[in-house]
């Protein structure tokens, strides 16, 4: 809290002082918690672009400078010095694991990696064309039926167990979803593999040809999951916090809400939409200028997917890293993907165009990641499932932070009512 305040005048009369709060990075906020009580007024901020919903110690973004830090550590360093499990541990527990803590965590994740056999039968009941995100969301909330959270006993122990179960089982559910789509038998997790190696083995292991997870894919997947691990109060994390604020301690249902929010093409669903867009440009002869012109046309709902961001008004640091991983993986695998060339040409054309420059529209995390998944033979409708696997520790960290937030209340925004004033109900015979 700073001792500064903002004075509020309405029609020339002073009505109240608003305290000014200041955060670790010296960003300031008007504390409006007493606004309605003192003025009878609310604020109006559709999309919450100017509204802080909580105080958080998890992730820091600077949208103007393109900075992203998890618990103070820059994303660029975490990508180079840690694997996904270390970063998940950091987000959830607030510190990087020691060697012993990391070993213990790996054992716990292995112990809880299997899925109840009755849950496995659920997969077989979905139609072939079922989108994997619909299965993932349903399976996440179904975990609460098979792995009950008994907060009446030792709540913190129960929650810790649930967190570990979810971190491990989301990977198994994601892999089983893919196997179901392929009409293949499920492959259970194996303790000798790492988190990412295990996932790839559950995806691609075959009963008829030997399979070993490609180390290039394992390294790329670790980096991609780290890139997606958290992003402060984005749409899906806000959904997780909002559902959590209703109480009940059901982490599975809150994460299911996060999965549903992430699925949207404006949010995590964009990584699938980017590949569909690049493929369409490719099939249409590779005319990137035509795509840029359509994206600028107000009469055309077409947008450049993977471009623009609510917070970043410069290059998304994750897009920069994503492009480096993309070039690295394709070179390692000796793959020349025409969609990468189109993506780079599209980026170059858009970034020279005033429409994009004036609106600070740059590539975001989703612009290059799909091309990497493609090189790893992962189908496009699984991309947002992988985004969910990456974002899970972030969702969990925010849900846990909400649970211990001294200022937390049930989330319940207000509105400006623009409907009809009071009127009486006409008899049905008198209605047109
Ligand atoms: C993620 O919040 C997070 O942190 C999210 C995320 C995370 O890690 O959790 O980073 C992950 O969701 C990344 C974003 C993925 N989505 C896409 O790539 C979809 C394409 N992008 C957009 O739909 C859009 O940019 C959003 C949704 C990402 C941001 O929307 P905003 O902040 O509400 O911006 P806006 O719609 O008000 O756009 C401002 C202007 C508008 O033009 P004007 O009305 O000023 O003339 O920019 C234009 C928009 O039309 N615009 C675009 C555009 N994005 C914005 N024009 C063309 N193509 C685009 N992609």
């Amino acid at each position: 809290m700073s001792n500064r305040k903002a004075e509020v005048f309405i029609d020339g009369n002073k009505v109240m002082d608003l305290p000014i709060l200041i955060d670790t990075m010296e960003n300031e906020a008007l504390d409006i918690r007493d606004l309605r009580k003192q003025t009878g007024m609310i604020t109006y901020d559709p999309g919450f672009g100017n509204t802080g919903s909580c105080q958080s110690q998890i992730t820091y973004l600077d949208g103007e400078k393109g900075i992203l830090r998890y618990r103070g550590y820059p994303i660029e360093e975490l990508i180079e010095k840690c694997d996904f499990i270390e970063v998940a541990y950091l987000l959830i527990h607030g510190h990087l694991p020691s060697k012993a803590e990391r070993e213990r965590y790996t054992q716990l994740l292995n112990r809880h990696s299997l899925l109840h056999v009755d849950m496995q039968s659920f997969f077989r009941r979905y139609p072939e064309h079922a989108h994997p995100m619909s299965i993932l969301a349903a399976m996440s909330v179904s975990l609460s039926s098979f792995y009950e959270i008994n907060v009446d006993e030792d709540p913190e122990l129960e929650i810790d167990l649930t967190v570990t179960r979810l971190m491990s089982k989301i990977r198994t559910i994601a892999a089983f979803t893919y196997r179901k789509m392929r009409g293949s038998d499920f492959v259970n997790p194996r303790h000798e593999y790492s988190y990412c190696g295990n996932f790839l083995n559950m995806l691609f292991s075959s009963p008829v040809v030997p399979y070993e997870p490609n180390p290039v894919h394992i390294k790329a997947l670790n980096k991609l999951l780290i890139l997606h691990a958290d992003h402060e109060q984005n749409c899906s994390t806000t959904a997780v916090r909002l559902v959590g604020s209703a109480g009940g301690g059901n982490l599975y249902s809150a994460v299911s809400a996060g999965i549903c929010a992430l699925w949207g093409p404006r949010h995590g669903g964009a990584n699938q939409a980017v590949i569909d867009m690049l493929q369409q440009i490719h099939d249409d002869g590779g005319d990137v200028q035509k795509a840029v012109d359509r994206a600028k046309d107000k009469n055309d709902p077409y947008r450049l997917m993977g471009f623009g961001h609510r917070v970043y008004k410069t290059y998304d640091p994750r897009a920069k890293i994503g492009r480096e991983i993309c070039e690295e993986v394709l070179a390692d695998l000796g793959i020349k993907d025409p969609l990468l060339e189109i993506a780079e040409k599209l980026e170059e054309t858009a970034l020279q165009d005033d429409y994009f420059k004036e609106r600070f529209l740059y590539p975001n995390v989703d612009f290059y990641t799909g091309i990497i998944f493609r090189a790893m033979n992962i189908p496009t409708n699984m991309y947002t499932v992988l985004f969910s696997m990456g974002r899970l520790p972030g969702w969990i960290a925010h849900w846990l932070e909400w649970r211990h937030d001294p200022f937390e209340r049930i989330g319940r925004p207000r509105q400006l009512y623009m409907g009809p004033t009071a009127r009486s109900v006409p008899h049905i015979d008198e209605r047109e």
Side-chain angles (χ1 to χ4, degrees), residues 18 41 43 73 122 135 182 192 204 223 237 283 333 343 360 370 413 429:
L18 287 180
M41 289 191 184
T43 56
Y73 297 106
F122 288 11
I135 300 175
R182 310 282 295 179
E192 69 267 31
F204 299 124
K223 291 186 172 184
T237 300
D283 298 347
L333 299 174
F360 305 104
D429 296 341

Side-chain angles (χ1 to χ4, degrees), residues 61 231 234-236 265-268 270 295 298 302-310 313 316 318 355-356 359 361 364-366 387 391:
L61 302 188
H231 217 236
N234 60 83
C235 177
S236 54
R266 284 177 166 179
H267 194 11
K298 287 300 164 204
Y302 184 86
R303 285 199 159 181
L304 285 195
M305 301 315 278
F307 250 79
H309 198 275
R310 172 61 58 78
K313 299 308 167 192
D316 182 334
R318 302 168 299 173
Y355 172 93
F356 289 84
R359 292 166 178 82
L361 302 175
N364 59 49
V365 65
D366 295 312
F387 193 147
R391 185 51 54 87

Side-chain angles (χ1 to χ4, degrees), residues 187-411:
V187 173
N188 274 315
R190 285 167 45 181
H191 289 193
E192 69 267 31
Y193 285 122
S194 67
Y195 188 89
C196 289
N198 222 335
F199 177 65
L200 292 170
N201 187 61
M202 287 193 272
L203 281 187
F204 299 124
S205 175
S206 158
V208 290
V209 288
Y211 170 80
E212 266 309 308
N214 183 326
V216 172
H217 291 178
I218 293 174
K219 188 175 158 210
L221 187 55
N222 263 297
K223 291 186 172 184
L224 286 165
L225 295 180
I226 291 171
L227 275 190
H228 289 89
D230 192 50
H231 217 236
E232 54 132 283
Q233 306 306 321
N234 60 83
C235 177
S236 54
T237 300
T238 299
V240 169
R241 277 180 171 261
L242 195 60
V243 169
S245 77
N250 189 335
L251 173 62
Y252 298 123
S253 57
V255 164
S256 183
I259 292 166
C260 293
L262 190 71
W263 190 2
R266 284 177 166 179
H267 194 11
N271 57 13
Q272 175 178 344
V274 167
I275 292 299
D276 296 342
M277 171 187 74
L278 295 174
Q279 190 63 58
Q280 186 193 41
I281 296 171
H282 174 268
D283 298 347
D284 187 32
D287 185 348
V288 296
Q289 190 57 55
K290 183 177 162 192
V292 167
D293 294 341
R294 279 195 63 192
K296 291 160 58 177
D297 179 355
K298 287 300 164 204
N299 301 316
D300 188 335
Y302 184 86
R303 285 199 159 181
L304 285 195
M305 301 315 278
F307 250 79
H309 198 275
R310 172 61 58 78
V311 175
Y312 289 124
K313 299 308 167 192
T314 183
Y315 215 101
D316 182 334
R318 302 168 299 173
K320 212 174 282 178
I321 296 168
R323 181 170 178 172
E324 287 159 10
I325 299 169
C326 197
E327 288 160 358
E328 199 180 287
V329 168
L330 295 186
D332 268 321
L333 299 174
I335 297 173
K336 207 159 171 37
D337 188 341
L339 299 194
L340 176 57
E341 284 162 54
I342 288 180
E344 289 171 337
K345 248 174 79 183
L346 187 57
E347 173 186 332
E348 191 189 339
T349 308
L351 294 189
Q352 286 165 12
D353 188 294
D354 286 345
Y355 172 93
F356 289 84
K357 285 195 281 193
E358 285 157 10
R359 292 166 178 82
F360 305 104
L361 302 175
Y362 291 83
N364 59 49
V365 65
D366 295 312
F367 195 62
Y368 287 104
T369 46
I371 300 171
I372 306 164
F373 291 139
R374 210 167 111 94
M376 295 165 65
N377 304 316
I378 291 169
T380 48
N381 63 2
M382 283 289 291
Y383 292 0
T384 314
V385 169
L386 271 79
F387 193 147
S388 305
M389 278 173 59
R391 185 51 54 87
L392 181 62
W395 287 333
I396 291 172
H398 282 275
W399 187 85
L400 291 171
E401 185 173 69
W402 153 77
R403 271 180 68 81
H404 302 296
D405 181 344
F407 301 109
E408 74 80 21
R409 305 168 68 197
I410 187 168

Side-chain angles (χ1 to χ4, degrees), residues 163-175:
V163 163
T164 309
R165 273 184 173 139
L166 193 50
M167 267 304 295
S168 191
K169 295 183 193 312
I170 200 99
R171 170 190 52 182
T172 309
I173 292 169

